[in-house]
Amino acid sequence: MIDPRLRDRVAVITGADSPLGIGAAIARALARQGCKVVLASRPRTPPDTADHVRDALRADGAEADSLAVDLAEPTAARAVFDHAESCFGPVEILVNNAAHRAPDTFRPDPVRGLVTVDADVLDAHHAVNTRAPALLIAEFHRRHLRRKAGWGRIISISTDTAPGTAGEISHLASKHALESLSRSAATELGPAGTTVNIIVPGPVQTGWLSEHAAARAAELSPLGRVGRPDDIADLVVFLASHQARWITGQTLYAGGGKRML
């Protein structure tokens, strides 16, 4: 058996709102390796599904807590790390998984389900998908240096359509920016012992794919199926592991996707 050496590491996972989502799967996977996990999720009206994820983790014996926080607020990064440290100690693993997504278009007469790009739409996406991860990475690094730590892992979750496509203008632009800032962080944080990598999933069924869309995506996949949240969670565990200690600044395309030749 391979020991990833993650026991008692403290991990923050953003965007773990849904029990069926990628964030919840990542939290479960890290908890199974002995990590202490903090779920940073957007504020919701009751019932709070992030609390359900937390409670399920605790029921399985994991050390877990959750924090309802609006990542669009500039002070959110400090609040997330303060909360995690008060619960379990210094954060050593950060997973940037949260995403704001509202389909939009450049067309002035959008079809149903889309809105026309404007300043508010752009700002809402970049606040959560770009600015928040950048501030979280900066806060991670400040605290890492302050305690003179020598081990850290940051993993950002993007999407295989981040290079751009119709009907997802702001979402994909902000995710592409996330990839860029993560690669820059890999260069700057490496000397302090922190690796930074990006996972780019193909279509993953978290409840958003219709039966027809899932079947079509499966036909286009080299593996003949759409992704499952656990597929991404297992990659996060690997990139966080001791075995991935020499991997940084890399973009891992999962499930084939548009970059497969």
Side-chain angles (χ1 to χ4, degrees):
M1 297 294 291
I2 294 174
D3 180 2
R5 304 189 194 180
L6 294 177
R7 181 159 298 280
D8 293 327
R9 302 283 191 187
V10 178
V12 164
I13 303 102
T14 66
D17 302 77
S18 168
L20 301 177
I22 290 173
I26 291 169
R28 289 191 293 267
L30 289 173
R32 284 194 295 268
Q33 299 301 327
C35 287
K36 302 172 184 179
V37 299
V38 173
L39 316 175
S41 302
R42 57 187 169 179
R44 293 277 188 102
T45 55
D48 193 322
T49 53
D51 286 349
H52 293 171
V53 175
R54 178 203 63 197
D55 293 344
L57 289 167
R58 289 177 175 175
D60 287 337
E63 294 188 70
D65 204 75
S66 61
L67 173 67
V69 60
D70 184 357
L71 291 174
E73 291 294 329
T75 58
R78 187 180 306 114
V80 168
F81 281 90
D82 284 347
H83 182 81
E85 288 181 2
S86 69
C87 291
F88 302 125
V91 177
E92 298 173 287
I93 301 168
L94 169 64
V95 183
N96 289 311
N97 172 70
H100 175 76
R101 176 180 177 268
D104 58 353
T105 176
F106 288 118
R107 300 185 181 96
D109 52 345
V111 298
R112 184 177 180 181
L114 297 178
V115 297
T116 300
V117 171
D118 62 19
D120 290 339
V121 171
L122 282 164
D123 289 350
H125 283 85
H126 281 282
V128 174
N129 301 348
T130 307
R131 185 178 68 188
L135 295 178
L136 286 163
I137 290 171
E139 190 70 20
F140 180 104
H141 190 49
R142 275 194 294 271
R143 297 182 188 223
H144 183 91
L145 293 176
R146 188 171 63 201
R147 68 178 189 275
K148 298 181 180 179
W151 189 100
R153 299 287 190 267
I154 297 174
I155 300 148
S156 296
I157 310 299
S158 185
T159 174
D160 68 340
T161 50
T165 190
E168 295 276 353
I169 308 304
S170 300
H171 174 229
L172 301 183
S174 60
K175 281 295 189 178
H176 219 204
L178 170 63
E179 294 183 20
S180 176
L181 69 87
S182 298
R183 284 187 286 270
S184 296
T187 301
E188 295 197 348
L189 277 57
T194 298
T195 66
V196 187
N197 291 289
I198 306 150
I199 297 173
V200 179
V204 176
Q205 181 58 283
T206 58
W208 69 278
L209 284 170
S210 67
E211 185 175 338
H212 173 75
R216 178 58 178 157
E219 289 176 0
L220 297 174
S221 169
L223 298 175
R225 67 171 176 85
V226 297
R228 296 184 285 264
D230 286 347
D231 295 325
I232 309 307
D234 288 343
L235 293 176
V236 170
V237 170
F238 169 67
L239 289 174
S241 74
H242 173 73
Q243 286 72 29
R245 62 194 178 278
W246 195 237
I247 300 174
T248 196
Q250 300 305 304
T251 304
L252 178 58
Y253 294 90
K258 294 194 172 185
R259 293 299 184 91
M260 184 170 181
L261 300 179

